Amino acid sequence: MTERSRPSAAEDALGDAPPPPPRALLSGLMWREIAYLLANFPLGVAAFVVVLVWLTLGIGLSITVVGLPLLATGLLACRQYGRLERARAAALLGVRIAEPSPLRPREQGFFPWLWTCLKDPVAWRHALFAFVRLPWVLLTFTVVLVLLVVGWPVLPWAARWLSNVDRAMVRALLSPSDELERRIAELESDRVTVTDTAAADLRRIERDLHDGAQARLVALAMGLGLAKEKLLEDPQAAAAMVDEAHGEVKLALQELRDLARGIHPAILTDRGLGPALSSLAGRCTVPVTTSVDLDERPAPAIEGIAYFTVSELLQNVSKHSAARQASVEVWRAADRLLILVSDDGRGGARLDGGSGMAGLAGRLGSVDGLFVLDSPVGGPTRVTAELPWRARTEPAAASRGR
């Protein structure tokens, strides 16, 4: 099975499809189009009057206290009008438009809310939609009404051509800005992921320090204190206690080294991704072959994410795969850093299987990365990770040279 952590968003099929050809006179779609065109008149006139009055009052009173709040309230009403028109287009014309992102002021309070409403491009496009449609709705209502009475043989073609113009207007003015809206949604999700990941890492470091090195150092201090008291009374016992404290120091130093390597391994900083991944492969319980084909080192942040991605994937290979061998390949393709980790184990890995794959996919997604898992039951398992390539800056390269 193949799972992608972040599938590319696509427009609704009906929204992107070309307009359908004219249907028979008595087809349901034709009558829905006629109903849409006739309903344009009362809704269009009402929306035009409301927007005109709202703009006149809001702009005219903008120098007073109530002007700007009136404009903001009118823009919120325009958003609701746009939602109504999208629903009507979906029900009668088969054009399904994604809903725009809700307004989210960055700060609490009246003035942040007011400023967010006033600069909302979605609401202004909806206001433009209501304002410019008055001549069109008058024309379409007149044409459809006349053809219903005296020109019904050409009515299917006329209804289709007129409704196609409406389809184009709905898509142009009532659609969210696709790339911008998608990017905003992704960044909001990524921000939450990055925050949660950073908090989890801080809790892990604090727990490791508290339960590991700190506890050993406390025991060391107590042991040295007892040895100091016994130094004159029982030198042999004091020497044994000092020897035991020396062992505790070695263990504490090892735990601190392991903790530092978990934060950012020294071999990665000093020698780069190739030697660091070879070191990871040597600690894996499954034989691992590594291949790193990079002409230059990526930025430290990308290099660190790549390292810890491979580290966690190799941990999963050791714990869950029952594999006989595994491989790690890293290379650059244009502006992307690609990682392929594969093994010949039993397969069946899933993003929701509790093996940490979902968290790993979230971390990659937070930096515009991609995570693809292909793990059929019975194996083999192939995990492809993709990261944006960012080259090292000159200061980083200079510091590495020193």
Side-chain angles (χ1 to χ4, degrees):
M1 60 184 169
T2 301
E3 299 184 50
R4 295 171 67 92
S5 68
R6 179 177 286 187
S8 59
E11 287 294 321
D12 186 276
L14 288 175
D16 276 347
R23 301 290 182 86
L25 181 62
L26 298 179
S27 68
L29 180 58
M30 187 204 77
W31 289 111
R32 288 196 298 273
E33 290 173 344
I34 292 175
Y36 182 89
L37 294 170
L38 291 176
N40 275 348
F41 178 71
L43 287 174
V45 171
F48 176 83
V49 172
V50 170
V51 169
L52 182 62
V53 172
W54 156 69
L55 279 176
T56 303
L57 290 177
I59 295 176
L61 296 174
S62 59
I63 59 174
T64 67
V65 177
V66 299
L68 294 180
L70 180 62
L71 275 175
T73 304
L75 286 169
L76 291 179
C78 288
R79 268 188 167 250
Q80 298 305 314
Y81 169 67
R83 177 177 297 180
L84 170 65
E85 287 292 343
R86 280 189 295 271
R88 197 164 67 95
L92 299 177
L93 299 183
V95 178
R96 292 181 173 86
I97 303 296
E99 291 292 325
S101 300
L103 286 178
R104 292 192 181 96
R106 294 185 177 182
E107 301 176 6
Q108 298 293 328
F110 173 75
F111 289 104
W113 169 85
L114 179 64
W115 177 243
T116 302
C117 291
L118 291 177
K119 67 175 186 176
D120 179 21
V122 174
W124 283 107
R125 284 202 309 273
H126 293 177
L128 179 63
F129 179 83
F131 194 77
V132 302
R133 275 171 59 86
L134 182 64
W136 175 250
V137 299
L138 293 175
L139 174 64
T140 55
F141 179 80
T142 303
V143 170
V144 171
L145 196 61
V146 170
L147 292 179
L148 276 173
V149 177
V150 298
W152 59 265
V154 298
L155 185 58
W157 284 268
R160 177 53 45 84
W161 291 331
L162 294 174
S163 62
N164 283 347
V165 175
D166 273 297
R167 288 183 176 94
M169 295 178 69
V170 168
R171 290 191 183 108
L173 295 177
L174 297 186
S175 295
S177 177
D178 297 334
E179 292 301 325
L180 179 60
E181 289 287 328
R182 188 179 304 128
R183 186 63 179 154
I184 288 173
E186 289 176 356
L187 289 176
E188 289 175 348
S189 175
D190 293 345
R191 181 179 59 185
V192 173
T193 301
V194 170
T195 303
D196 292 344
T197 300
D201 288 340
L202 287 175
R203 288 194 300 269
R204 176 182 60 80
I205 294 171
E206 181 184 12
R207 184 178 63 250
D208 291 345
L209 282 172
H210 182 271
D211 297 341
Q214 180 180 341
R216 290 194 180 278
L217 290 174
V218 170
L220 171 64
M222 294 176 62
L224 289 176
L226 292 175
K228 180 180 179 181
E229 293 177 359
K230 291 183 175 292
L231 186 61
L232 297 177
E233 301 175 3
D234 191 352
Q236 292 184 349
M241 296 177 71
V242 169
D243 186 63
E244 183 180 352
H246 183 253
E248 289 289 333
V249 169
K250 291 183 177 179
L251 292 175
L253 287 174
Q254 182 60 44
E255 290 184 355
L256 287 173
R257 289 192 195 98
D258 293 340
L259 181 60
R261 185 171 58 191
I263 298 173
H264 197 84
I267 189 173
L268 179 63
T269 303
D270 297 338
R271 300 180 59 191
L273 203 53
L277 295 185
S278 297
S279 176
L280 278 179
R283 296 199 299 270
C284 185
T285 59
V286 176
V288 180
T289 59
T290 61
S291 173
V292 179
D293 183 14
L294 297 176
D295 296 333
E296 59 178 317
R297 293 178 62 176
I302 299 300
E303 196 173 56
I305 294 172
Y307 174 86
F308 287 109
T309 298
V310 175
S311 174
E312 188 158 345
L313 290 174
L314 290 183
Q315 288 180 25
N316 283 337
V317 170
S318 298
K319 295 177 182 178
H320 307 296
S321 70
R324 293 188 300 273
Q325 60 181 4
S327 65
V328 176
E329 299 176 47
V330 180
W331 71 99
R332 178 184 177 183
D335 60 345
R336 307 294 282 180
L337 177 65
L338 300 176
I339 303 169
L340 174 62
V341 179
S342 58
D343 66 75
D344 61 354
R346 59 192 173 199
R350 298 170 53 190
L351 287 177
D352 57 353
S355 59
M357 294 288 189
L360 197 56
R363 292 191 183 196
L364 288 172
S366 67
V367 292
D368 284 342
L370 186 65
F371 186 89
V372 180
L373 172 64
D374 181 14
S375 182
V377 176
T381 295
R382 293 168 57 88
V383 177
T384 303
E386 196 175 307
L387 289 165
W389 177 272
R390 292 205 298 269
R392 293 203 158 210
T393 59
E394 289 301 322
S399 64
R400 188 175 72 249
R402 291 195 298 270

